[in-house]
Amino acid sequence: MGAVNSERRGRVLVLAMDNPPVNGLGHGVRSGLMAGIEEALGDDGIDAVVITGSGRMFSGGADITEFGTPKSSADPILPDVIKKIEASPKPVVAAIHGVSAGGGLELPLGCHYRIAHSQTRLGLPEVNLGILPGAGGTQRMPRLTGVEAALKLIVSGDLVPAKKAHALGFVDEVVDGDVVETALKLIVSGDLVPAKKAHALGFVDEVVDGDVVETAVAAAERLAAGAELRRTGSLEDRIAQDRGKPEIFEAFKKSIARRARGYEAPYACIESIENSVKLPFDEGLAAERDIFRRCVASTQSQALRHAFFAEREATKIPDVPKDTPVKTIETAGVIGAGTMGGGIAMNFANAGIPVTIVETEQDNLERGLGIIEKNYANTVSKGRLSQDEMDARVGRVNGSTDLADLAGADIVIEAVFENMALKKEIFGKLDEICKADAILASNTSTLDVNEIAAATSRPESVIGTHFFSPANVMKLLENVRGEKTSKEAIATVMGLSKKIGKVGVLVGVCDGFVGNRMLYAYTRQAGFLLEEGALPHQVDKVIFDFGFPMGPFAMGDLAGLDVGWKIRQEREHVRPKDLRYSPVADRICEMGRFGQKTSAGYYSYKEGDRTPVPDPKIEALIVQASQDLGIERREISDEEILQRCMYPLINEGAKILEEGLALRASDIDVVWIYGYGFPRYRGGPMFYADTVGVKHVYDTMSRLHDEHGDWLEPAPLLKQLAESGKGFGDL
Ligand code: CAA
């Protein structure tokens, strides 16, 4: 049966999906399941069916790569397979382990009974791909859990543990092999265990008949012996109370309005869940299919699918193959207990890796360690971390004022302030202190990693690891490859990124690397817009409405304006004086307004409130700056603001690609989605350029260059793509 293996266990037919790596529900699996069910229905020797997954999970859902590709009429669609299962007079039981996501959960929802291993994660994450569950999930889930829980689950896209799924009502039984306890027993006893047990413990992937299946076969036999089958589509009790109450859905929409602005899929999910209480089951299913088709064809869904694959593609480095040896990272060191250093250390502690933070002064060290504890305590007080877990994490963070304490660390990340001389001094010392195979990393956001590496006798072990602030929260990690960085160091750090919960993207050495270099092109234009006639709140609103969490000026206030001011002062002597320069930011800093930390920056802030309030003093300052520069202020449209901010950013991305500093356009998209909050549903800046048309971006840049000169000259790559009618996705 192709991608589905079948096996008879007495009078029960066990169908095991077998389509690595995630048992995606592609053509082979769907037709295999259909054939299996038909075989069971036509065979008097079969009383019941169990559906399970081979390998490490039940199923990761529909095969996303099939979306938008034509299907043959002989190819059964998933909703029909599930309908057939639900209507079957012979019981069908789902035996679930690992992951059950998307269509990979909708399939069990159509079964008559669901059994999950306690370590399973289940959910309907389709919203993250810009679609809704399109195989009955929006109609069956509310019938099992009630509308409120279904709304939360489907609109968040979260995967939840089996026990929660059981409590919510969409898993009937949890097979509770206490994996940790059993593992301990196993190691202490030194026993050899049968494959079935090894599978339940998680260290064998390929045994189909784990405990879940065994339990499922027993349940199938029980059901076949005469119990009435529970068909999800016929259930009424949990949704009856929510019929005729549109206010539930209105309230839910309101609750997500800010977070989901401009993002279509959450609203498509809500519309379809509402149908579960408004329409008869079959009509609800048909409407779900229509909405699904609409969503799949949308630009937002294409963008979100692009983002999904881009993130996974970024892990692949052409000249660093998958089998490159990696160093095991069991202990880490961080130099600097400031905001960055502390955040970086927390990532290690969270991932179970003991970390030593080194500071020069005891006071600073204690302050840094104190902030880490306070951060954890905040998370505990919000109920997102247990006190025990906090204690364990804090226990993994040690402090020291002696670099020599890093002698045994497998990786050391330097996170002191941006000063080349200081960094070189530190790396020189690390070279003497650290063990021979340690990785020496710098969290620099601007400096030349090659120069830092040259301060050591082992430049092959030196790499940049550029974290984003707050380092314990932001998911991006720009890993900077120096000229001499070894493949082993790259493979190790890319693997480590995932281990500490980050999305690692490999970039080359240049000023600002990929993210900040592009950011500069954007914020520079935002500054010029102020002089020409816009005000900070107008620019910020356009960028916020585009989908960023905040605009450039609110972001500046949050990050602190003094940082950039200091850098500008240091670099004043090398600034090209023939290029345009906006004095506004400097003038604001000269007033002692450094952003939120001084309750005043581009905006003013009320005590204890982070809401930016437009300030007439700043408006006057900006108007004065225009006057001083001899610029006549004009009305600036929202469209111009968006183009002036985003297109130079894309243009800089094109230059970065030309220079080979990012491996692919999609890597740049990942950097911007995870490092700067570029709206994921727009796919990142380079994908966005393709959706508006590279030619249009090029034409606009050419016009802007004619009007404003400056650094707005279109990148040769942009020109080349525009002239050949291609996009960044074609590279
Ligand atoms: N379709 C196609 N390929 C998929 C896939 C899917 N649904 N899910 C994962 N893959 C691929 C990945 O691209 C990756 O490929 P490469 O090795 O070539 O890079 C490989 O499978 C392994 O994936 P991960 O690295 O993500 O593996 P993981 O173990 O870390 O995570 C997972 C497993 C939780 C299932 C994760 O892959 C995931 O979240 N997948 C997407 C789940 C999802 O969104 N499902 C809904 C699909 S839409 C749907 O089902 C519509 C419907 O209503 C019918």
Side-chain angles (χ1 to χ4, degrees):
M1 262 184 262
V4 175
N5 304 321
S6 76
E7 183 204 348
R8 284 168 191 244
R9 300 250 195 124
R11 297 180 64 81
V12 176
L13 186 70
V14 177
L15 300 175
M17 298 176 281
D18 188 4
N19 186 23
V22 299
N23 288 329
L25 300 165
H27 162 74
V29 173
R30 295 193 306 270
S31 46
L33 287 173
M34 196 62 135
I37 295 294
E38 274 163 4
E39 179 192 329
L41 293 182
D43 187 336
D44 289 344
I46 298 290
D47 292 341
V49 179
V50 164
I51 299 179
T52 188
S54 306
R56 62 195 182 102
M57 66 182 70
F58 182 81
S59 169
D63 183 344
I64 308 166
T65 56
E66 272 188 2
F67 287 179
T69 58
K71 287 193 181 61
S72 86
S73 54
D75 183 2
I77 59 169
L78 189 59
D80 289 348
V81 176
I82 296 174
K83 249 190 209 168
K84 183 100 185 173
I85 289 170
E86 188 168 53
S88 158
K90 296 184 181 180
V92 183
V93 176
I96 310 167
H97 75 290
V99 174
S100 163
L105 174 56
E106 292 174 287
L107 173 65
L109 295 185
C111 293
H112 306 119
Y113 198 72
R114 289 158 289 278
I115 299 175
H117 187 271
S118 60
Q119 301 299 310
T120 315
R121 292 182 302 134
L122 308 95
L124 295 169
E126 284 90 340
V127 71
N128 299 326
L129 299 170
I131 53 176
L132 72 163
T138 63
Q139 305 305 298
R140 291 194 179 89
M141 187 59 87
R143 286 177 161 81
L144 289 167
T145 64
V147 160
E148 207 184 314
L151 279 169
K152 276 194 196 142
L153 191 78
I154 295 172
V155 174
S156 72
D158 290 345
L159 301 187
V160 298
K163 281 192 184 140
K164 182 155 183 197
H166 182 247
L168 289 174
F170 68 92
V171 157
D172 297 306
E173 194 177 328
V174 178
V175 177
D176 201 7
D178 187 334
V179 181
V180 176
E181 199 177 287
T182 329
L184 279 174
K185 272 192 206 144
L186 182 74
I187 293 164
V188 174
S189 69
D191 289 346
L192 299 181
V193 296
K196 227 178 338 186
K197 190 158 182 187
H199 176 249
L201 293 175
F203 65 86
V204 160
D205 285 337
E206 295 298 334
V207 180
V208 174
D209 54 352
D211 289 339
V212 184
V213 178
E214 216 166 73
T215 317
V217 168
E221 284 166 346
R222 214 168 51 236
L223 290 177
E228 200 183 325
L229 296 187
R230 192 166 170 256
R231 292 191 171 81
T232 312
S234 323
L235 300 179
E236 264 302 305
D237 51 331
R238 297 210 75 161
I239 50 169
Q241 70 210 21
D242 296 329
R243 288 196 195 280
K245 289 189 185 159
E247 62 274 16
I248 299 176
F249 301 93
E250 287 315 309
F252 194 81
K253 279 183 211 164
K254 261 198 197 137
S255 74
I256 63 161
R258 190 178 161 88
R259 202 167 18 101
R261 66 190 184 285
Y263 179 11
E264 295 153 5
Y267 295 97
C269 292
I270 297 169
E271 180 189 345
S272 192
I273 296 168
E274 187 164 8
N275 284 338
S276 75
V277 292
K278 281 205 324 210
L279 301 176
F281 181 64
D282 281 338
E283 285 176 35
L285 283 183
E288 179 193 79
R289 203 67 203 154
D290 286 344
I291 304 171
F292 181 81
R293 284 198 194 99
R294 185 182 84 207
C295 288
V296 167
S298 70
T299 306
Q300 288 202 359
S301 175
Q302 287 166 26
L304 287 158
R305 280 179 268 149
H306 163 79
F308 176 85
F309 288 114
E311 184 180 333
R312 284 154 182 84
E313 195 66 14
T315 61
K316 294 165 192 153
I317 318 297
D319 69 328
V320 183
K322 246 185 166 175
D323 55 0
T324 305
V326 290
K327 294 176 203 277
T328 313
I329 304 293
E330 282 170 356
T331 56
V334 173
I335 304 176
T339 319
M340 272 327 258
I344 295 170
M346 287 174 75
N347 290 310
F348 286 104
N350 297 347
I353 301 172
V355 54
T356 301
I357 306 186
V358 177
E359 250 299 342
T360 40
E361 305 293 332
Q362 185 67 29
D363 280 1
N364 292 345
L365 178 65
E366 275 166 23
R367 194 175 319 124
L369 294 174
I371 291 172
I372 291 177
E373 270 204 61
K374 214 170 97 191
N375 285 343
Y376 279 129
N378 272 340
T379 317
V380 171
S381 70
K382 286 180 194 150
R384 296 208 303 256
L385 188 73
S386 71
Q387 185 62 47
D388 284 355
E389 187 51 33
M390 165 175 163
D391 295 343
R393 294 182 189 192
V394 170
R396 288 184 200 116
V397 183
N398 304 302
S400 166
T401 51
D402 187 358
L403 269 187
D405 285 339
L406 300 181
D410 297 312
I411 183 168
V412 176
I413 299 183
E414 162 279 309
V416 303
F417 63 88
E418 290 289 86
N419 179 297
M420 182 55 94
L422 177 64
K423 296 209 186 228
K424 280 163 106 169
E425 185 192 324
I426 290 175
F427 274 77
K429 285 186 189 158
L430 289 177
D431 193 21
E432 284 165 21
I433 292 168
C434 293
K435 60 182 185 183
D437 62 345
I439 289 183
L440 309 181
S442 171
N443 177 48
T444 179
S445 56
T446 47
L447 300 177
D448 185 343
V449 172
N450 295 323
E451 198 177 334
I452 297 174
T456 72
S457 64
R458 40 172 138 167
E460 68 284 358
S461 302
V462 178
I463 190 166
T465 48
H466 178 209
F467 288 80
F468 286 68
S469 186
N472 53 317
V473 178
M474 296 299 286
K475 286 198 69 165
L476 178 65
L477 188 52
E478 267 185 333
N479 293 322
V480 189
R481 173 183 202 160
E483 268 163 25
K484 296 192 176 153
T485 310
S486 70
K487 292 180 182 178
E488 198 179 5
I490 293 170
T492 303
V493 167
M494 290 297 287
L496 178 69
S497 307
K498 188 165 185 190
K499 186 156 188 207
I500 61 173
K502 302 290 173 200
V503 177
V505 178
L506 192 68
V507 301
V509 176
C510 65
D511 190 6
F513 310 123
V514 169
N516 283 348
R517 177 169 155 184
M518 290 169 71
L519 178 73
Y520 184 59
Y522 147 47
T523 50
R524 188 175 152 76
Q525 290 302 316
F528 296 151
L529 285 166
L530 298 185
E531 298 168 0
E532 290 171 34
L535 289 172
H537 60 269
Q538 189 195 352
V539 176
D540 279 353
K541 182 174 184 314
V542 171
I543 299 299
F544 178 78
D545 289 345
F546 182 72
F548 275 91
M550 64 187 84
F553 301 111
M555 188 177 76
D557 276 0
L558 176 68
L561 303 178
D562 50 330
V563 186
W565 190 35
K566 222 186 247 163
I567 295 175
R568 287 194 297 277
Q569 283 168 340
E570 273 173 23
R571 295 187 172 189
E572 177 57 20
H573 64 288
V574 287
R575 176 168 73 80
K577 299 290 182 300
D578 54 328
L579 288 176
R580 193 171 168 186
Y581 182 81
S582 171
V584 171
D586 293 343
R587 289 188 187 175
I588 292 177
C589 288
E590 282 156 19
M591 294 165 78
R593 300 175 66 122
F594 297 154
Q596 287 191 16
K597 58 181 154 189
T598 56
S599 297
Y602 283 100
Y603 299 93
S604 55
Y605 298 85
K606 293 199 190 88
E607 198 58 39
D609 187 347
R610 288 164 171 262
T611 317
V613 182
D615 187 334
K617 274 197 218 124
I618 293 300
E619 183 171 344
L621 181 149
I622 291 169
V623 171
Q624 185 64 48
S626 309
Q627 243 177 46
D628 295 348
L629 293 160
I631 298 174
E632 194 176 326
R633 293 181 69 75
R634 62 187 168 92
E635 187 88 8
I636 300 184
S637 71
D638 289 355
E639 190 189 5
E640 178 176 349
I641 291 176
L642 188 64
Q643 293 181 349
R644 284 279 292 278
C645 290
M646 288 302 117
Y647 292 6
L649 180 148
I650 293 162
N651 196 43
E652 201 62 35
K655 290 184 198 163
I656 284 171
L657 279 175
E658 263 162 18
E659 292 167 32
L661 297 166
L663 280 168
R664 23 181 121 73
S666 61
D667 282 11
I668 298 182
D669 289 332
V670 176
V671 165
W672 271 81
I673 289 170
Y674 284 111
Y676 301 86
F678 194 99
R680 192 176 167 91
Y681 61 77
R682 296 193 193 274
M686 310 319 274
F687 185 88
Y688 173 67
D690 283 358
T691 62
V692 296
V694 169
K695 177 155 182 349
H696 164 70
V697 177
Y698 169 73
D699 290 345
T700 312
M701 284 305 295
S702 304
R703 180 173 50 76
L704 291 176
H705 185 232
D706 290 345
E707 287 170 10
H708 302 276
D710 197 56
W711 289 337
L712 293 170
E713 187 172 4
L717 177 62
L718 199 65
K719 183 168 192 250
Q720 185 194 317
L721 289 175
E723 284 173 353
S724 57
K726 289 190 174 154
F728 290 103
D730 298 314
L731 289 175

